[in-house]
């Protein structure tokens, strides 16, 4: 198990090393190095936030969350191919417990009864709840109520038990925190207690929506959050955002991995499936999410002119999304020559936008646009709200466009088929014609699709969104998975496996967790947030290769291509 014997009285030399070594943005302590010290919240908390970016938004995002969200595609690696690595999963598990939540628990244990620290303890409780919700949504049942106690055997709580505890804690913390001198210059809101209370209330709504199929004891918390609508995130400046830094020890994980170290392993590339959704809705956010490929992908489109001529033009595709795998199912009679992506290297596909590689990139933990879409969903579920679902939905789109500084395009976008409230889209098929990005099932689908699009790079949240819905996202399986083998379909994992170390060192707890799962510690064991899926019979399908998602990006007329200012050549007049 993780560190069972850590005393609640923290030795400063150990804790200060873990916290202050992560950042130089916070005030140094002038202390006697030979004197026993107790670390204060303002010393412990900033280090936890920085380390949490590396743990939640860094390595697991790169190797798992971004892949499972279908935001990006990366070749190779066990998680990327819908399989599992016990050493890697174990390292993430221990990072959550020993590198993050244990320090937060120390703040709670040491200062929870001190009235001078109500707000600072509240910050620790809220952030602990956020991190615990990620563990819960990744593994399922987890050590929680006994996790930081001095016991030889640490019990696993059920998902219901953990979730109710988190929601109760968030609600109670929201109520007791109040503006005053009891604060600290935290790296998220810099001591703004009103924003921390909004974080707590909005996170409550988010978890209630995520686990809405668990019954009234959970959905009541969502209704309560909507009753407190004035204390939901209401503008971009209230979004929960934390930044990496420009000093080397604080660098963005993706900068360090792919720009500084120039790693060629598991390179991130923009997802083919996600791109089909953007193309279906004519979504300009692709231009802030992705880059043009290094190597051009040549296309030929047949266009019309104002004089009713037809011309064939040749040009390079502005964006090319990468499929999970170009391997076909064993049952399909296909050859590589029929595959439009066969033989292409990483430089032929779009990388994610360079801003995601900035040293001091600031990933979103819980954003304003996302909150608008959550309110729209809550309204559709009759959980309350002062505006219509359509108003919340439109505001979410406007907030997303403003966040990415492309508000000049939003009015046109809001009129597109599938985007305009109550409309359907035409649909864009993937390159094999086995899945189609299409909005056709009414307002709830529109809300969830827009939340998926607006949440780009929030991989864990999108994975949760996909798992808790059925029939909203038409997503292909992996045909080259380490789980089922080459040429077989492997559907998206529902969770990852408990570390085997738990079975060895915390046997009773492990089997308790196994029982909570129904006895199966498998990748396809559904968690409580998930709903049953109606997967297609992939092997029985008849794929038709195509390049629909790439073609006619600039329109269907020669004049539109000229207005776009791109390089193209007329190679034939028909």
């Amino acid at each position: 198990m993780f560190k069972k014997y850590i005393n609640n009285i923290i030795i400063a030399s150990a804790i200060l090393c873990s916290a202050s070594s992560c950042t130089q943005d916070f005030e140094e302590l002038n202390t006697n190095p030979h004197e026993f010290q107790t670390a204060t919240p303002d010393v412990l908390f900033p280090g936890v936030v920085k380390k949490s970016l590396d743990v939640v938004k860094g390595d697991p995002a790169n190797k798992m969350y971004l892949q499972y969200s279908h935001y990006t595609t990366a070749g190779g690696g066990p998680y990327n191919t819908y399989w599992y690595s016990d050493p890697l999963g174990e390292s993430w598990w221990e990072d959550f417990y020993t590198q993050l939540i244990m320090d937060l628990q120390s703040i709670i244990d040491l200062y929870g009864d001190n009235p001078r620290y109500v707000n600072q303890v509240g910050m620790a409780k809220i952030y602990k709840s956020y991190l615990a919700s990620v563990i819960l949504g990744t593994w399922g049942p987890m050590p929680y109520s006994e996790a930081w106690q001095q016991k030889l055997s640490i019990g696993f709580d059920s998902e219901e038990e953990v979730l109710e505890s988190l929601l109760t804690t968030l609600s109670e913390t929201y109520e007791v925190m109040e503006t005053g001198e009891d604060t600290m210059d935290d790296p998220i809101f810099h001591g703004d207690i009103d924003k921390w209370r909004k974080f707590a209330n909005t996170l409550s709504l988010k978890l209630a929506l995520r686990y809405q199929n668990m019954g009234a004891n959970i959905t009541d918390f969502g209704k309560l959050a909507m009753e407190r609508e004035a204390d939901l995130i209401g503008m971009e400046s209230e979004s929960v955002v934390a930044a990496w830094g420009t000093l080397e020890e604080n660098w963005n994980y993706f900068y360090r991995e792919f720009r500084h170290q120039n790693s060629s392993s598991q390179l991130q590339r923009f997802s083919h499936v996600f791109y089909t959704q953007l193309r279906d809705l004519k979504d300009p956010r692709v231009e802030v999410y992705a880059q043009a490929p290094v190597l051009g992908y040549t296309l030929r489109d047949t266009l019309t002119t104002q004089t009713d001529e037809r011309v064939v033009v040749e040009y390079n595709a502005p964006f090319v999304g990468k499929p999970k795998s170009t391997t076909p199912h064993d049952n399909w009679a296909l050859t590589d020559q029929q595959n439009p992506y066969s033989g292409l290297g990483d430089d032929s596909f779009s990388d994610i936008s360079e801003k995601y590689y900035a040293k001091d990139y600031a990933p979103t933990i819980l954003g304003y646009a996302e909150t608008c879409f959550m309110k729209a969903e809550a309204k559709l579920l009759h959980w309350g709200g002062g505006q219509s679902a359509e108003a919340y939905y439109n505001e979410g789109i406007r907030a997303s466009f403003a966040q990415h500084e492309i508000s000049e395009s939003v009015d046109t976008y809001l009129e597109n088929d599938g985007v305009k409230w109550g409309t359907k889209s035409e649909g864009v098929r993937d390159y094999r014609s086995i899945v189609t990005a299409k909005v056709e099932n009414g307002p709830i689908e529109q809300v969830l699709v827009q939340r998926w699009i607006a949440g780009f790079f929030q991989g864990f949240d999108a994975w949760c969104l996909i798992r808790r819905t059925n029939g909203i996202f038409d997503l292909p399986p992996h045909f080259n998975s380490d789980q089922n083998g080459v040429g077989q379909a492997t559907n998206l994992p529902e969770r990852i496996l408990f570390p085997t170390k738990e079975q060895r060192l915390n046997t009773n707890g492990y089997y308790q967790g196994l029982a909570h799962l129904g006895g199966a510690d498998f990748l396809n064991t559904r968690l409580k947030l998930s709903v049953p899926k109606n997967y297609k019979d992939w092997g029985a399908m008849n794929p038709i290769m195509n390049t629909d998602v790439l073609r006619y990006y600039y329109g269907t007329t020669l004049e539109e291509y000229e207005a776009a200012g791109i390089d193209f050549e007329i190679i034939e007049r028909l």
Side-chain angles (χ1 to χ4, degrees):
M1 187 62 188
F2 39 88
K3 299 178 182 177
K4 299 176 183 175
Y5 306 109
I6 296 294
N7 195 302
N8 284 338
I9 303 300
I10 304 299
I11 298 177
S13 60
I15 294 301
L16 295 181
C17 178
S18 67
S20 62
S21 64
C22 296
T23 176
Q24 293 185 7
D25 295 332
F26 308 100
E27 186 177 356
E28 295 183 0
L29 292 179
N30 295 315
T31 59
N32 183 340
H34 304 292
E35 181 181 342
F36 182 87
Q37 301 289 335
T38 299
T40 53
D42 61 325
V43 173
L44 288 173
F45 190 74
V48 171
V49 173
K50 190 275 168 186
K51 287 183 289 186
S52 73
L53 297 183
D54 294 334
V55 173
V56 180
K57 304 291 187 178
D59 197 51
N62 175 42
K63 297 185 171 97
M64 179 174 62
Y65 294 140
L66 289 172
Q67 316 307 315
Y68 294 178
S69 66
H70 285 272
Y71 286 145
T72 67
T73 296
Y79 289 97
N80 294 339
T81 58
Y82 293 3
W83 189 226
Y84 179 74
S85 162
D86 186 61
L88 194 54
E90 179 184 299
S91 71
W92 296 339
W93 176 270
E94 292 187 350
D95 283 344
F96 271 108
Y97 277 105
T98 66
Q99 296 296 313
L100 299 176
I101 299 183
M102 189 170 67
D103 281 0
L104 296 174
Q105 189 63 42
S106 297
I107 295 173
I108 296 166
D109 291 341
L110 289 169
Y111 298 96
D113 295 329
N114 190 329
R116 295 188 301 164
Y117 288 91
V118 171
N119 287 336
Q120 296 177 61
V121 170
M123 295 177 194
K125 287 182 176 180
I126 294 167
Y127 212 69
K128 176 189 171 186
S129 297
Y130 156 65
L131 294 172
S133 75
V134 179
I135 300 174
L136 189 67
T138 302
W139 284 275
M142 57 182 281
Y144 191 72
S145 60
E146 299 179 358
W148 298 275
Q149 298 178 16
Q150 296 182 35
K151 300 178 66 174
L152 292 175
S153 180
I154 306 296
F156 274 57
D157 296 272
S158 69
E159 293 170 81
E160 294 93 335
E161 291 167 335
V162 175
L163 183 61
E164 288 193 37
S165 179
L166 297 182
L167 289 168
T168 299
T169 296
L170 289 169
S171 183
E172 291 176 349
T173 303
Y174 164 87
E175 291 174 350
V176 301
M177 293 181 75
E178 58 182 22
T179 303
E181 295 181 1
D182 165 22
T183 189
M184 60 179 162
D185 187 17
D186 68 273
I188 299 176
F189 293 130
H190 304 288
D192 190 323
I193 302 304
D194 288 337
K195 291 180 180 178
W196 273 101
R197 295 178 75 244
K198 291 186 177 186
F199 183 5
N201 195 41
T202 309
L203 183 57
S204 292
L205 178 60
K206 183 173 189 171
L207 294 178
L209 287 169
R210 182 178 294 167
Y211 292 90
Q212 61 188 265
N213 60 334
M214 289 176 62
N217 57 328
I218 301 303
T219 58
D220 283 349
F221 281 100
K223 295 174 182 178
L224 178 60
M226 289 298 289
E227 288 177 13
R228 300 163 169 170
E229 185 176 359
D231 281 327
L232 293 171
I233 292 170
M235 59 185 68
E236 186 59 36
S237 63
E238 296 172 349
S239 292
V240 185
V241 175
W244 276 290
T246 55
L247 296 176
E248 183 172 355
E249 61 267 33
N250 296 331
W251 280 349
N252 174 3
Y253 169 92
F254 289 90
Y255 172 81
R256 185 186 303 277
E257 187 78 7
F258 298 111
R259 293 297 181 264
H260 180 66
Q261 297 176 356
N262 293 315
S263 172
S264 60
S265 173
Q266 301 177 341
L267 291 173
Q268 295 294 322
R269 289 297 180 261
F270 197 62
S271 164
H272 169 74
V273 170
F274 187 61
Y275 187 37
T276 62
Q277 187 68 75
L278 297 179
R279 286 303 317 275
D280 176 48
L281 300 177
K282 300 178 177 60
D283 200 311
R285 282 171 288 188
V286 63
E287 298 180 10
V288 295
Y289 290 163
Q291 304 182 52
V294 174
L295 301 178
Y297 188 105
T298 303
L299 292 172
R300 290 184 178 183
D301 286 343
T302 301
L303 310 176
T304 59
T305 71
Q306 289 179 339
T307 57
D308 293 329
E309 289 183 273
R310 294 171 64 235
V311 298
V312 178
V313 298
E314 187 174 82
Y315 65 103
N316 286 334
F319 305 101
V320 181
K322 184 177 180 180
K324 291 288 184 193
S325 168
T326 56
T327 302
H329 195 284
D330 283 345
N331 293 355
W332 299 344
L334 293 175
T335 65
D336 280 349
Q337 286 73 24
Q338 297 169 294
N339 190 326
Y341 298 115
S342 178
L344 297 184
D346 283 320
D347 284 346
S348 295
F349 296 103
S350 291
D351 198 350
I352 54 176
S353 175
E354 199 61 35
K355 69 180 181 180
Y356 300 108
Y357 294 107
K359 292 178 182 178
D360 58 350
Y361 172 63
T364 297
I365 295 169
L366 184 52
Y368 173 45
E370 176 184 12
T371 302
C372 293
F373 295 123
M374 291 194 300
K375 288 194 287 186
E377 183 180 0
K379 185 70 174 185
L380 290 171
L381 293 171
H382 307 291
W383 288 7
Q387 299 184 50
S388 67
E390 180 182 0
Y392 290 133
Y393 168 84
N394 288 335
E395 180 57 27
I397 294 174
R398 291 187 181 279
S400 177
F401 275 60
Q403 177 187 0
H404 298 293
E405 300 179 344
I406 54 171
S407 292
E408 68 280 0
S409 305
V410 72
D411 288 336
T412 300
Y413 179 72
L414 283 167
E415 294 300 315
N416 290 349
D417 289 343
V419 178
K420 186 175 182 178
W421 189 253
T423 64
K424 300 179 181 180
S425 67
E426 183 177 349
V428 173
R429 58 184 176 170
D430 80 313
Y431 78 103
R432 290 179 171 129
S433 308
I434 62 172
V435 298
T436 301
K438 189 174 184 179
V439 174
E440 58 182 348
N441 294 311
I444 189 64
E445 181 177 45
Q446 289 186 281
V447 169
L448 296 178
V449 166
Q450 285 295 333
R451 183 175 168 188
W452 183 43
I453 294 173
F456 181 72
F457 226 59
Q458 290 177 242
F460 169 74
D461 293 324
W463 182 34
C464 291
L465 195 64
I466 291 167
R467 285 179 291 165
R468 74 172 178 89
T469 59
N470 180 45
I472 301 293
F473 304 101
D474 192 8
L475 304 172
H478 207 301
F479 291 105
N480 189 16
S481 170
D482 291 340
Q483 181 180 165
N484 290 335
V486 178
Q488 296 298 308
T490 302
N491 291 307
L492 185 70
E494 293 283 346
R495 58 183 292 275
I496 68 173
L497 308 186
F498 294 134
T500 56
K501 184 183 287 187
E502 287 296 308
Q503 187 173 359
R504 263 191 348 264
L505 302 181
N506 187 34
T507 305
N508 291 339
Y510 169 80
Y511 281 104
Q512 189 177 14
L514 199 63
H516 290 315
L517 285 172
D521 185 14
F522 300 148
L523 295 173
N524 62 357
T525 301
R526 284 194 298 111
L527 301 183
K528 297 299 183 182
L529 66 88
S530 300
V531 298
K533 306 294 190 296
N534 299 320
Y535 287 117
K536 301 174 183 177
D537 184 353
W538 302 107
M541 301 191 75
N542 295 309
I544 301 172
M545 294 296 185
N546 68 86
T547 55
D548 292 1
V549 68
L550 302 178
R551 303 181 63 198
Y552 298 105
Y553 181 84
Y554 300 103
T556 58
T557 69
L558 180 63
E559 289 74 23
E560 287 173 310
Y561 277 56
E562 290 172 340
I566 65 166
D567 292 330
F568 68 90
E569 180 183 357
I570 298 175
I571 62 171
E572 187 177 2
R573 294 183 181 274
L574 303 175

